PDB file of all heavy atoms in Angstrom:
ATOM      1  N   LYS A 370       9.721  -3.872   2.097  1.00  0.00           N
ATOM      2  CA  LYS A 370       9.641  -2.432   1.872  1.00  0.00           C
ATOM      3  C   LYS A 370       8.941  -2.212   0.527  1.00  0.00           C
ATOM      4  O   LYS A 370       9.062  -3.052  -0.358  1.00  0.00           O
ATOM      5  CB  LYS A 370      11.071  -1.877   1.766  1.00  0.00           C
ATOM      6  CG  LYS A 370      11.220  -0.322   1.659  1.00  0.00           C
ATOM      7  CD  LYS A 370      12.737   0.021   1.713  1.00  0.00           C
ATOM      8  CE  LYS A 370      12.962   1.444   1.660  1.00  0.00           C
ATOM      9  NZ  LYS A 370      14.408   1.764   1.792  1.00  0.00           N
ATOM     10  N   CYS A 371       8.226  -1.091   0.397  1.00  0.00           N
ATOM     11  CA  CYS A 371       7.587  -0.701  -0.865  1.00  0.00           C
ATOM     12  C   CYS A 371       8.077   0.659  -1.306  1.00  0.00           C
ATOM     13  O   CYS A 371       8.350   1.530  -0.452  1.00  0.00           O
ATOM     14  CB  CYS A 371       6.069  -0.671  -0.713  1.00  0.00           C
ATOM     15  SG  CYS A 371       5.346  -2.334  -0.572  1.00  0.00           S
ATOM     16  N   TYR A 372       8.166   0.839  -2.622  1.00  0.00           N
ATOM     17  CA  TYR A 372       8.636   2.075  -3.221  1.00  0.00           C
ATOM     18  C   TYR A 372       7.569   2.664  -4.108  1.00  0.00           C
ATOM     19  O   TYR A 372       6.995   1.927  -4.920  1.00  0.00           O
ATOM     20  CB  TYR A 372       9.854   1.781  -4.086  1.00  0.00           C
ATOM     21  CG  TYR A 372      10.995   1.178  -3.309  1.00  0.00           C
ATOM     22  CD1 TYR A 372      10.998  -0.226  -3.055  1.00  0.00           C
ATOM     23  CD2 TYR A 372      12.092   1.918  -2.919  1.00  0.00           C
ATOM     24  CE1 TYR A 372      12.042  -0.791  -2.339  1.00  0.00           C
ATOM     25  CE2 TYR A 372      13.160   1.324  -2.212  1.00  0.00           C
ATOM     26  CZ  TYR A 372      13.131  -0.005  -1.960  1.00  0.00           C
ATOM     27  OH  TYR A 372      14.155  -0.644  -1.250  1.00  0.00           O
ATOM     28  N   LEU A 373       7.276   3.928  -3.915  1.00  0.00           N
ATOM     29  CA  LEU A 373       6.236   4.609  -4.723  1.00  0.00           C
ATOM     30  C   LEU A 373       6.985   5.557  -5.682  1.00  0.00           C
ATOM     31  O   LEU A 373       7.731   6.450  -5.245  1.00  0.00           O
ATOM     32  CB  LEU A 373       5.306   5.439  -3.849  1.00  0.00           C
ATOM     33  CG  LEU A 373       4.188   6.191  -4.506  1.00  0.00           C
ATOM     34  CD1 LEU A 373       3.222   5.234  -5.222  1.00  0.00           C
ATOM     35  CD2 LEU A 373       3.433   7.023  -3.440  1.00  0.00           C
ATOM     36  N   TYR A 374       6.867   5.255  -6.977  1.00  0.00           N
ATOM     37  CA  TYR A 374       7.573   6.007  -8.014  1.00  0.00           C
ATOM     38  C   TYR A 374       6.564   6.876  -8.832  1.00  0.00           C
ATOM     39  O   TYR A 374       5.453   6.430  -9.129  1.00  0.00           O
ATOM     40  CB  TYR A 374       8.278   5.051  -8.990  1.00  0.00           C
ATOM     41  CG  TYR A 374       9.465   4.357  -8.372  1.00  0.00           C
ATOM     42  CD1 TYR A 374       9.315   3.060  -7.924  1.00  0.00           C
ATOM     43  CD2 TYR A 374      10.658   4.980  -8.276  1.00  0.00           C
ATOM     44  CE1 TYR A 374      10.399   2.365  -7.382  1.00  0.00           C
ATOM     45  CE2 TYR A 374      11.738   4.275  -7.712  1.00  0.00           C
ATOM     46  CZ  TYR A 374      11.636   3.005  -7.295  1.00  0.00           C
ATOM     47  OH  TYR A 374      12.708   2.346  -6.749  1.00  0.00           O
ATOM     48  N   SER A 375       7.014   7.978  -9.298  1.00  0.00           N
ATOM     49  CA  SER A 375       6.336   8.839 -10.221  1.00  0.00           C
ATOM     50  C   SER A 375       6.206   8.238 -11.573  1.00  0.00           C
ATOM     51  O   SER A 375       7.207   7.730 -12.151  1.00  0.00           O
ATOM     52  CB  SER A 375       7.005  10.222 -10.370  1.00  0.00           C
ATOM     53  OG  SER A 375       6.481  10.965 -11.462  1.00  0.00           O
ATOM     54  N   GLY A 376       5.010   8.154 -12.143  1.00  0.00           N
ATOM     55  CA  GLY A 376       4.796   7.669 -13.481  1.00  0.00           C
ATOM     56  C   GLY A 376       5.181   8.691 -14.530  1.00  0.00           C
ATOM     57  O   GLY A 376       5.334   8.422 -15.718  1.00  0.00           O
ATOM     58  N   LYS A 377       5.381   9.951 -14.131  1.00  0.00           N
ATOM     59  CA  LYS A 377       5.798  10.977 -15.027  1.00  0.00           C
ATOM     60  C   LYS A 377       7.247  10.982 -15.333  1.00  0.00           C
ATOM     61  O   LYS A 377       7.665  11.058 -16.514  1.00  0.00           O
ATOM     62  CB  LYS A 377       5.378  12.341 -14.481  1.00  0.00           C
ATOM     63  CG  LYS A 377       5.714  13.550 -15.420  1.00  0.00           C
ATOM     64  CD  LYS A 377       5.271  14.869 -14.803  1.00  0.00           C
ATOM     65  CE  LYS A 377       5.602  16.006 -15.748  1.00  0.00           C
ATOM     66  NZ  LYS A 377       5.114  17.274 -15.204  1.00  0.00           N
ATOM     67  N   ASP A 378       8.081  10.935 -14.260  1.00  0.00           N
ATOM     68  CA  ASP A 378       9.520  11.058 -14.448  1.00  0.00           C
ATOM     69  C   ASP A 378      10.340   9.927 -13.779  1.00  0.00           C
ATOM     70  O   ASP A 378      11.535   9.919 -13.860  1.00  0.00           O
ATOM     71  CB  ASP A 378      10.029  12.366 -14.021  1.00  0.00           C
ATOM     72  CG  ASP A 378       9.782  12.690 -12.512  1.00  0.00           C
ATOM     73  OD1 ASP A 378       9.481  11.733 -11.760  1.00  0.00           O
ATOM     74  OD2 ASP A 378       9.936  13.837 -12.093  1.00  0.00           O
ATOM     75  N   GLY A 379       9.601   8.967 -13.118  1.00  0.00           N
ATOM     76  CA  GLY A 379      10.341   7.882 -12.473  1.00  0.00           C
ATOM     77  C   GLY A 379      11.014   8.160 -11.144  1.00  0.00           C
ATOM     78  O   GLY A 379      11.623   7.341 -10.571  1.00  0.00           O
ATOM     79  N   SER A 380      10.816   9.392 -10.644  1.00  0.00           N
ATOM     80  CA  SER A 380      11.461   9.767  -9.327  1.00  0.00           C
ATOM     81  C   SER A 380      10.758   9.040  -8.196  1.00  0.00           C
ATOM     82  O   SER A 380       9.567   8.659  -8.261  1.00  0.00           O
ATOM     83  CB  SER A 380      11.357  11.319  -9.161  1.00  0.00           C
ATOM     84  OG  SER A 380       9.977  11.679  -9.025  1.00  0.00           O
ATOM     85  N   LEU A 381      11.552   8.801  -7.172  1.00  0.00           N
ATOM     86  CA  LEU A 381      10.993   8.125  -5.934  1.00  0.00           C
ATOM     87  C   LEU A 381      10.194   9.097  -5.176  1.00  0.00           C
ATOM     88  O   LEU A 381      10.690  10.186  -4.748  1.00  0.00           O
ATOM     89  CB  LEU A 381      12.108   7.562  -5.136  1.00  0.00           C
ATOM     90  CG  LEU A 381      11.743   6.806  -3.850  1.00  0.00           C
ATOM     91  CD1 LEU A 381      10.966   5.569  -4.179  1.00  0.00           C
ATOM     92  CD2 LEU A 381      12.991   6.472  -3.037  1.00  0.00           C
ATOM     93  N   LEU A 382       8.869   8.800  -4.924  1.00  0.00           N
ATOM     94  CA  LEU A 382       8.027   9.750  -4.210  1.00  0.00           C
ATOM     95  C   LEU A 382       8.010   9.417  -2.727  1.00  0.00           C
ATOM     96  O   LEU A 382       7.925  10.347  -1.903  1.00  0.00           O
ATOM     97  CB  LEU A 382       6.628   9.661  -4.756  1.00  0.00           C
ATOM     98  CG  LEU A 382       6.373  10.023  -6.201  1.00  0.00           C
ATOM     99  CD1 LEU A 382       4.923   9.711  -6.642  1.00  0.00           C
ATOM    100  CD2 LEU A 382       6.738  11.463  -6.446  1.00  0.00           C
ATOM    101  N   ARG A 383       8.050   8.089  -2.341  1.00  0.00           N
ATOM    102  CA  ARG A 383       7.916   7.725  -0.978  1.00  0.00           C
ATOM    103  C   ARG A 383       8.279   6.259  -0.823  1.00  0.00           C
ATOM    104  O   ARG A 383       8.148   5.533  -1.746  1.00  0.00           O
ATOM    105  CB  ARG A 383       6.491   7.960  -0.481  1.00  0.00           C
ATOM    106  CG  ARG A 383       6.274   7.741   0.958  1.00  0.00           C
ATOM    107  CD  ARG A 383       4.971   8.141   1.349  1.00  0.00           C
ATOM    108  NE  ARG A 383       4.835   8.094   2.780  1.00  0.00           N
ATOM    109  CZ  ARG A 383       3.866   8.587   3.481  1.00  0.00           C
ATOM    110  NH1 ARG A 383       2.875   9.215   2.902  1.00  0.00           N
ATOM    111  NH2 ARG A 383       3.789   8.484   4.809  1.00  0.00           N
ATOM    112  N   THR A 384       8.728   5.901   0.357  1.00  0.00           N
ATOM    113  CA  THR A 384       8.923   4.478   0.708  1.00  0.00           C
ATOM    114  C   THR A 384       8.079   4.163   1.930  1.00  0.00           C
ATOM    115  O   THR A 384       7.763   5.028   2.745  1.00  0.00           O
ATOM    116  CB  THR A 384      10.426   4.178   0.998  1.00  0.00           C
ATOM    117  OG1 THR A 384      10.856   4.917   2.084  1.00  0.00           O
ATOM    118  CG2 THR A 384      11.289   4.388  -0.211  1.00  0.00           C
ATOM    119  N   TYR A 385       7.758   2.875   2.028  1.00  0.00           N
ATOM    120  CA  TYR A 385       6.982   2.340   3.149  1.00  0.00           C
ATOM    121  C   TYR A 385       7.833   1.143   3.638  1.00  0.00           C
ATOM    122  O   TYR A 385       7.993   0.187   2.928  1.00  0.00           O
ATOM    123  CB  TYR A 385       5.650   1.869   2.737  1.00  0.00           C
ATOM    124  CG  TYR A 385       4.731   2.964   2.156  1.00  0.00           C
ATOM    125  CD1 TYR A 385       4.759   3.188   0.770  1.00  0.00           C
ATOM    126  CD2 TYR A 385       3.919   3.703   2.973  1.00  0.00           C
ATOM    127  CE1 TYR A 385       3.955   4.184   0.205  1.00  0.00           C
ATOM    128  CE2 TYR A 385       3.128   4.721   2.430  1.00  0.00           C
ATOM    129  CZ  TYR A 385       3.169   4.949   1.063  1.00  0.00           C
ATOM    130  OH  TYR A 385       2.351   5.931   0.543  1.00  0.00           O
ATOM    131  N   THR A 386       8.408   1.227   4.858  1.00  0.00           N
ATOM    132  CA  THR A 386       9.290   0.214   5.382  1.00  0.00           C
ATOM    133  C   THR A 386       8.668  -0.453   6.575  1.00  0.00           C
ATOM    134  O   THR A 386       8.252   0.160   7.529  1.00  0.00           O
ATOM    135  CB  THR A 386      10.657   0.917   5.769  1.00  0.00           C
ATOM    136  OG1 THR A 386      11.201   1.589   4.645  1.00  0.00           O
ATOM    137  CG2 THR A 386      11.628  -0.146   6.228  1.00  0.00           C
ATOM    138  N   CYS A 387       8.641  -1.784   6.510  1.00  0.00           N
ATOM    139  CA  CYS A 387       8.115  -2.580   7.617  1.00  0.00           C
ATOM    140  C   CYS A 387       9.189  -2.822   8.619  1.00  0.00           C
ATOM    141  O   CYS A 387      10.386  -2.923   8.274  1.00  0.00           O
ATOM    142  CB  CYS A 387       7.597  -3.939   7.087  1.00  0.00           C
ATOM    143  SG  CYS A 387       6.832  -4.988   8.298  1.00  0.00           S
ATOM    144  N   ALA A 388       8.884  -2.906   9.905  1.00  0.00           N
ATOM    145  CA  ALA A 388       9.827  -3.092  10.973  1.00  0.00           C
ATOM    146  C   ALA A 388       9.640  -4.452  11.738  1.00  0.00           C
ATOM    147  O   ALA A 388      10.213  -4.670  12.739  1.00  0.00           O
ATOM    148  CB  ALA A 388       9.735  -1.990  11.971  1.00  0.00           C
ATOM    149  N   THR A 389       8.821  -5.353  11.109  1.00  0.00           N
ATOM    150  CA  THR A 389       8.582  -6.642  11.761  1.00  0.00           C
ATOM    151  C   THR A 389       9.350  -7.755  11.043  1.00  0.00           C
ATOM    152  O   THR A 389       9.103  -7.991   9.805  1.00  0.00           O
ATOM    153  CB  THR A 389       7.069  -6.959  11.704  1.00  0.00           C
ATOM    154  OG1 THR A 389       6.314  -5.969  12.359  1.00  0.00           O
ATOM    155  CG2 THR A 389       6.822  -8.326  12.409  1.00  0.00           C
ATOM    156  N   ALA A 390      10.330  -8.351  11.688  1.00  0.00           N
ATOM    157  CA  ALA A 390      11.169  -9.372  11.047  1.00  0.00           C
ATOM    158  C   ALA A 390      10.356 -10.487  10.406  1.00  0.00           C
ATOM    159  O   ALA A 390       9.402 -10.929  11.002  1.00  0.00           O
ATOM    160  CB  ALA A 390      12.085  -9.942  12.091  1.00  0.00           C
ATOM    161  N   GLY A 391      10.724 -10.861   9.224  1.00  0.00           N
ATOM    162  CA  GLY A 391      10.043 -11.942   8.506  1.00  0.00           C
ATOM    163  C   GLY A 391       8.728 -11.673   7.963  1.00  0.00           C
ATOM    164  O   GLY A 391       7.988 -12.540   7.396  1.00  0.00           O
ATOM    165  N   GLU A 392       8.251 -10.410   8.039  1.00  0.00           N
ATOM    166  CA  GLU A 392       6.887 -10.064   7.585  1.00  0.00           C
ATOM    167  C   GLU A 392       6.635 -10.207   6.052  1.00  0.00           C
ATOM    168  O   GLU A 392       5.621 -10.503   5.616  1.00  0.00           O
ATOM    169  CB  GLU A 392       6.609  -8.591   8.014  1.00  0.00           C
ATOM    170  CG  GLU A 392       5.189  -8.228   7.873  1.00  0.00           C
ATOM    171  CD  GLU A 392       4.278  -8.848   8.912  1.00  0.00           C
ATOM    172  OE1 GLU A 392       4.748  -9.410   9.887  1.00  0.00           O
ATOM    173  OE2 GLU A 392       3.023  -8.747   8.701  1.00  0.00           O
ATOM    174  N   THR A 393       7.695  -9.951   5.312  1.00  0.00           N
ATOM    175  CA  THR A 393       7.659 -10.022   3.807  1.00  0.00           C
ATOM    176  C   THR A 393       6.665  -8.988   3.251  1.00  0.00           C
ATOM    177  O   THR A 393       6.024  -9.219   2.207  1.00  0.00           O
ATOM    178  CB  THR A 393       7.345 -11.383   3.231  1.00  0.00           C
ATOM    179  OG1 THR A 393       6.033 -11.813   3.595  1.00  0.00           O
ATOM    180  CG2 THR A 393       8.368 -12.444   3.753  1.00  0.00           C
ATOM    181  N   PHE A 394       6.614  -7.813   3.801  1.00  0.00           N
ATOM    182  CA  PHE A 394       5.747  -6.678   3.368  1.00  0.00           C
ATOM    183  C   PHE A 394       6.102  -6.285   1.971  1.00  0.00           C
ATOM    184  O   PHE A 394       7.339  -6.112   1.692  1.00  0.00           O
ATOM    185  CB  PHE A 394       5.981  -5.524   4.344  1.00  0.00           C
ATOM    186  CG  PHE A 394       5.207  -4.261   4.030  1.00  0.00           C
ATOM    187  CD1 PHE A 394       3.907  -4.132   4.418  1.00  0.00           C
ATOM    188  CD2 PHE A 394       5.857  -3.241   3.442  1.00  0.00           C
ATOM    189  CE1 PHE A 394       3.204  -2.974   4.193  1.00  0.00           C
ATOM    190  CE2 PHE A 394       5.166  -2.014   3.180  1.00  0.00           C
ATOM    191  CZ  PHE A 394       3.813  -1.889   3.577  1.00  0.00           C
ATOM    192  N   GLY A 395       5.133  -6.260   1.082  1.00  0.00           N
ATOM    193  CA  GLY A 395       5.464  -5.878  -0.269  1.00  0.00           C
ATOM    194  C   GLY A 395       5.438  -7.092  -1.208  1.00  0.00           C
ATOM    195  O   GLY A 395       5.795  -7.017  -2.397  1.00  0.00           O
ATOM    196  N   PHE A 396       5.071  -8.271  -0.691  1.00  0.00           N
ATOM    197  CA  PHE A 396       5.059  -9.470  -1.547  1.00  0.00           C
ATOM    198  C   PHE A 396       4.141  -9.288  -2.737  1.00  0.00           C
ATOM    199  O   PHE A 396       4.407  -9.713  -3.790  1.00  0.00           O
ATOM    200  CB  PHE A 396       4.516 -10.670  -0.681  1.00  0.00           C
ATOM    201  CG  PHE A 396       4.684 -11.975  -1.334  1.00  0.00           C
ATOM    202  CD1 PHE A 396       5.867 -12.655  -1.293  1.00  0.00           C
ATOM    203  CD2 PHE A 396       3.634 -12.534  -2.069  1.00  0.00           C
ATOM    204  CE1 PHE A 396       5.979 -13.932  -1.923  1.00  0.00           C
ATOM    205  CE2 PHE A 396       3.776 -13.738  -2.675  1.00  0.00           C
ATOM    206  CZ  PHE A 396       4.901 -14.416  -2.627  1.00  0.00           C
ATOM    207  N   ASP A 397       3.094  -8.501  -2.507  1.00  0.00           N
ATOM    208  CA  ASP A 397       2.185  -8.106  -3.620  1.00  0.00           C
ATOM    209  C   ASP A 397       1.612  -6.708  -3.268  1.00  0.00           C
ATOM    210  O   ASP A 397       1.449  -6.440  -2.041  1.00  0.00           O
ATOM    211  CB  ASP A 397       1.078  -9.119  -3.838  1.00  0.00           C
ATOM    212  CG  ASP A 397       0.488  -9.034  -5.249  1.00  0.00           C
ATOM    213  OD1 ASP A 397       0.980  -8.263  -6.080  1.00  0.00           O
ATOM    214  OD2 ASP A 397      -0.488  -9.770  -5.514  1.00  0.00           O
ATOM    215  N   THR A 398       1.309  -5.933  -4.236  1.00  0.00           N
ATOM    216  CA  THR A 398       0.729  -4.613  -4.005  1.00  0.00           C
ATOM    217  C   THR A 398      -0.382  -4.309  -5.061  1.00  0.00           C
ATOM    218  O   THR A 398      -0.308  -4.836  -6.167  1.00  0.00           O
ATOM    219  CB  THR A 398       1.800  -3.506  -4.193  1.00  0.00           C
ATOM    220  OG1 THR A 398       2.270  -3.526  -5.520  1.00  0.00           O
ATOM    221  CG2 THR A 398       2.945  -3.701  -3.214  1.00  0.00           C
ATOM    222  N   THR A 399      -1.322  -3.510  -4.626  1.00  0.00           N
ATOM    223  CA  THR A 399      -2.370  -3.098  -5.588  1.00  0.00           C
ATOM    224  C   THR A 399      -2.962  -1.775  -5.086  1.00  0.00           C
ATOM    225  O   THR A 399      -2.937  -1.476  -3.905  1.00  0.00           O
ATOM    226  CB  THR A 399      -3.457  -4.133  -5.822  1.00  0.00           C
ATOM    227  OG1 THR A 399      -4.264  -3.790  -6.947  1.00  0.00           O
ATOM    228  CG2 THR A 399      -4.298  -4.329  -4.559  1.00  0.00           C
ATOM    229  N   SER A 400      -3.492  -0.995  -6.015  1.00  0.00           N
ATOM    230  CA  SER A 400      -4.186   0.225  -5.633  1.00  0.00           C
ATOM    231  C   SER A 400      -5.622  -0.100  -5.275  1.00  0.00           C
ATOM    232  O   SER A 400      -6.225  -0.938  -5.883  1.00  0.00           O
ATOM    233  CB  SER A 400      -4.116   1.233  -6.800  1.00  0.00           C
ATOM    234  OG  SER A 400      -4.872   2.385  -6.464  1.00  0.00           O
ATOM    235  N   LEU A 401      -6.151   0.631  -4.314  1.00  0.00           N
ATOM    236  CA  LEU A 401      -7.565   0.402  -3.920  1.00  0.00           C
ATOM    237  C   LEU A 401      -8.423   1.577  -4.249  1.00  0.00           C
ATOM    238  O   LEU A 401      -9.619   1.583  -3.940  1.00  0.00           O
ATOM    239  CB  LEU A 401      -7.592   0.218  -2.382  1.00  0.00           C
ATOM    240  CG  LEU A 401      -6.869  -0.971  -1.824  1.00  0.00           C
ATOM    241  CD1 LEU A 401      -6.915  -0.964  -0.315  1.00  0.00           C
ATOM    242  CD2 LEU A 401      -7.650  -2.252  -2.332  1.00  0.00           C
ATOM    243  N   GLY A 402      -7.881   2.617  -4.773  1.00  0.00           N
ATOM    244  CA  GLY A 402      -8.646   3.894  -4.952  1.00  0.00           C
ATOM    245  C   GLY A 402      -8.558   4.634  -3.618  1.00  0.00           C
ATOM    246  O   GLY A 402      -7.747   4.351  -2.725  1.00  0.00           O
ATOM    247  N   ASP A 403      -9.404   5.581  -3.422  1.00  0.00           N
ATOM    248  CA  ASP A 403      -9.380   6.435  -2.250  1.00  0.00           C
ATOM    249  C   ASP A 403     -10.281   5.860  -1.186  1.00  0.00           C
ATOM    250  O   ASP A 403     -11.484   6.261  -1.086  1.00  0.00           O
ATOM    251  CB  ASP A 403      -9.844   7.867  -2.624  1.00  0.00           C
ATOM    252  CG  ASP A 403      -9.744   8.844  -1.416  1.00  0.00           C
ATOM    253  OD1 ASP A 403      -9.180   8.473  -0.400  1.00  0.00           O
ATOM    254  OD2 ASP A 403     -10.279   9.948  -1.623  1.00  0.00           O
ATOM    255  N   MET A 404      -9.764   5.010  -0.352  1.00  0.00           N
ATOM    256  CA  MET A 404     -10.549   4.328   0.738  1.00  0.00           C
ATOM    257  C   MET A 404     -10.960   5.240   1.859  1.00  0.00           C
ATOM    258  O   MET A 404     -11.973   5.102   2.449  1.00  0.00           O
ATOM    259  CB  MET A 404      -9.729   3.142   1.328  1.00  0.00           C
ATOM    260  CG  MET A 404      -9.386   2.053   0.298  1.00  0.00           C
ATOM    261  SD  MET A 404     -10.810   1.058  -0.117  1.00  0.00           S
ATOM    262  CE  MET A 404     -11.078   0.281   1.468  1.00  0.00           C
ATOM    263  N   ASN A 405     -10.083   6.199   2.225  1.00  0.00           N
ATOM    264  CA  ASN A 405     -10.341   7.064   3.380  1.00  0.00           C
ATOM    265  C   ASN A 405     -10.835   8.438   3.048  1.00  0.00           C
ATOM    266  O   ASN A 405     -10.978   9.229   3.990  1.00  0.00           O
ATOM    267  CB  ASN A 405      -9.065   7.091   4.310  1.00  0.00           C
ATOM    268  CG  ASN A 405      -7.891   7.716   3.556  1.00  0.00           C
ATOM    269  OD1 ASN A 405      -7.937   8.055   2.409  1.00  0.00           O
ATOM    270  ND2 ASN A 405      -6.818   7.764   4.309  1.00  0.00           N
ATOM    271  N   GLY A 406     -11.178   8.728   1.818  1.00  0.00           N
ATOM    272  CA  GLY A 406     -11.756   9.969   1.461  1.00  0.00           C
ATOM    273  C   GLY A 406     -10.903  11.214   1.561  1.00  0.00           C
ATOM    274  O   GLY A 406     -11.380  12.340   1.593  1.00  0.00           O
ATOM    275  N   ASP A 407      -9.594  10.993   1.501  1.00  0.00           N
ATOM    276  CA  ASP A 407      -8.709  12.186   1.610  1.00  0.00           C
ATOM    277  C   ASP A 407      -8.217  12.719   0.239  1.00  0.00           C
ATOM    278  O   ASP A 407      -7.452  13.618   0.148  1.00  0.00           O
ATOM    279  CB  ASP A 407      -7.432  11.844   2.480  1.00  0.00           C
ATOM    280  CG  ASP A 407      -6.524  10.845   1.860  1.00  0.00           C
ATOM    281  OD1 ASP A 407      -6.836  10.262   0.788  1.00  0.00           O
ATOM    282  OD2 ASP A 407      -5.485  10.594   2.502  1.00  0.00           O
TER     283      ASP A 407
END
């Protein structure tokens, strides 16, 4: 699972939870910038 926190006040903005057993989603994370133009 990954947690997105506000850099302003530390509040939790969103979580991303994987549903595949053993996947280890979140082993590493990085920002890519705006890949999809939204």
Side-chain angles (χ1 to χ4, degrees):
K370 184 175 183 177
C371 289
Y372 302 79
L373 182 62
Y374 291 100
S375 167
K377 180 178 181 179
D378 61 15
S380 64
L381 182 63
L382 300 174
R383 184 170 189 170
T384 60
Y385 301 89
T386 305
C387 184
T389 303
E392 191 72 12
T393 68
F394 179 81
F396 190 85
D397 203 3
T398 63
T399 192
S400 177
L401 296 173
D403 184 9
M404 297 286 293
N405 59 359
D407 67 354

